[in-house]
Amino acid sequence: MLVAGGGGFIGGHLVADLLAQGKSVRSVDVKPESGWYQVHPQAQNVQADLSLLDSAMSATAGAGEVFMLAADMGGMGFIENNKALCMLTVLTSTHMLQAARDHGVERYFYSSSACVYAADKQTNTDITALKEADAYPAMPEDGYGWEKLFTERMCRHFAEDFGMTTRIARYHNVYGPEGTWTGGREKAPAAVCRKIAEASISGNHEIEIWGDGEQTRSFMYIDDCVQGSQMILAADSAEPVNLGSSELVSINQLVDLVESIAGIRCERNYKLDAPQGVRGRNSDNTQILETYGWEPSISLSDGLAKTYAWVYDQVKRSQG
């Protein structure tokens, strides 16, 4: 089994789970191993730039199943300020599909994103949950969302034209331990955990929040993401499907939860000119329930407790 992007946050957890099942795993990432989120010695670990066709061909040789997670991405601050870099992931997406086709890969999983959904359906905080059909007429997140939606179409057409078995999950805000927690690419749960941890350790109970804190999202814990991704790859349905929690919260409510876990209260300074993305986004899980009889189930409070404990340790360690 090939995990493209295995040195990333989701990839690292996925490789660990596949290995625990006794699978033979090749993990490939553009970063040197020293920059991988997790390195699993039992896997065949390869540093390679999959945006290059030769590298994609070499990485895919002999693979029966592919999890295509490789992408240049991050939280909203990164996505809004690096649209061209996000779009360039189309090279990786294209070359991996070509390589999988040429090597006769049996099943191919593509990790898409809720960023494919039309922006005009995400303008209110009391958002109607996004169902799969809401991706069209197309008006996705500029840059990152367009690349994801385009690659979804490529997967569909590679299946139609070349007989490939492709499966697509639209991830909704995955979080958990062993992820990005600082540096500009981190997503909201890790960023909030870091800010609260820093406040707890320093005693300066004051944090900055991007926007007014009323923007709403749902967040999926990493274990649900790993389980759901494997389930979708193995199943019969070729339709793109939401893979996300339907537990909607505002960023202010997210901060409330982390403060409760940390046992402190912080003064909140709102940075209204900071990147904050769409006003509201939630996952409609009707299709995944009807098709698979399953949906992500780990509560935000339980997932955040594990994530905060891990981020707190990273902050503490980074401060000597």
Side-chain angles (χ1 to χ4, degrees):
M1 306 190 82
L2 168 62
V3 179
F9 163 50
I10 298 172
H13 283 275
L14 178 59
V15 170
D17 193 73
L18 293 171
L19 289 169
Q21 297 173 48
K23 307 279 190 182
S24 173
V25 181
R26 179 182 300 147
S27 179
V28 183
D29 204 281
V30 69
K31 299 182 292 291
E33 268 192 37
S34 60
W36 290 23
Y37 290 73
Q38 300 181 55
V39 177
H40 302 284
Q42 313 97 298
Q44 179 189 356
N45 298 308
V46 179
Q47 182 193 356
D49 183 353
L50 297 176
S51 71
L52 305 175
L53 181 57
D54 286 349
S55 296
M57 292 294 288
S58 297
T60 311
E65 297 181 344
V66 171
F67 287 92
M68 171 50 187
L69 310 179
D72 204 349
M73 59 85 68
M76 191 49 61
F78 179 83
I79 288 173
E80 286 202 0
N81 293 308
N82 295 277
K83 294 184 176 70
L85 281 179
C86 290
M87 291 291 283
L88 281 170
T89 296
V90 75
L91 295 171
T92 304
S93 301
T94 304
H95 291 149
M96 284 299 296
L97 274 167
Q98 288 179 297
R101 176 198 62 192
D102 292 355
H103 284 300
V105 164
E106 295 163 17
R107 286 180 173 262
Y108 187 96
F109 174 90
Y110 177 62
S111 61
S112 187
S113 166
C115 289
V116 302
Y117 287 115
D120 64 354
K121 296 183 183 295
Q122 304 175 74
T123 56
N124 299 310
T125 56
D126 57 345
I127 178 77
T128 299
L130 294 160
K131 57 185 183 294
E132 284 76 4
D134 289 333
Y136 297 94
M139 191 168 58
E141 187 88 44
D142 201 10
Y144 179 72
W146 275 111
E147 194 281 325
K148 287 294 187 183
L149 192 61
F150 175 78
T151 301
E152 282 193 13
R153 301 299 291 189
M154 277 206 298
C155 287
R156 172 179 171 173
H157 297 314
F158 267 65
E160 292 170 343
D161 294 357
F162 307 122
M164 285 181 60
T165 299
T166 61
R167 299 290 182 261
I168 299 165
R170 293 173 180 162
Y171 288 170
H172 287 249
N173 296 312
V174 187
Y175 75 99
E178 305 290 346
T180 304
W181 59 276
T182 190
R185 291 188 185 234
E186 67 276 17
K187 295 186 176 181
V192 170
C193 285
R194 185 196 73 241
K195 291 172 182 180
I196 299 295
E198 290 171 344
S200 176
I201 292 166
S202 69
N204 178 20
H205 294 179
E206 187 174 340
I207 64 169
E208 179 182 270
I209 295 175
W210 287 8
D212 62 4
E214 292 305 307
Q215 61 270 38
T216 53
R217 295 291 187 276
S218 65
F219 301 98
M220 173 175 52
Y221 190 65
I222 183 62
D223 290 1
D224 276 333
C225 178
V226 167
Q227 181 181 351
S229 297
Q230 294 175 70
M231 175 190 70
I232 290 166
L233 176 64
D236 293 333
S237 175
E239 295 301 314
V241 62
N242 284 331
L243 184 54
S245 169
S246 57
E247 183 182 353
L248 186 69
V249 295
S250 70
I251 298 302
N252 282 325
Q253 289 171 324
L254 178 68
V255 176
D256 290 343
L257 280 169
V258 180
E259 285 180 335
S260 175
I261 292 165
I264 64 172
R265 298 288 293 176
C266 293
E267 179 183 341
R268 304 175 187 185
N269 299 318
Y270 294 96
K271 184 173 173 59
L272 300 180
D273 61 348
Q276 51 189 297
V278 296
R279 193 65 178 150
R281 176 181 291 156
N282 194 16
S283 178
D284 183 320
N285 285 354
T286 303
Q287 183 173 314
I288 197 169
L289 278 165
E290 289 179 350
T291 305
Y292 303 93
W294 180 90
E295 67 175 330
S297 61
I298 297 171
S299 71
L300 185 58
S301 58
D302 287 347
L304 280 175
K306 297 176 183 178
T307 306
Y308 179 77
W310 182 84
V311 172
Y312 182 93
D313 288 345
Q314 308 314 303
V315 173
K316 192 81 169 175
R317 189 175 297 119
S318 71
Q319 295 181 356

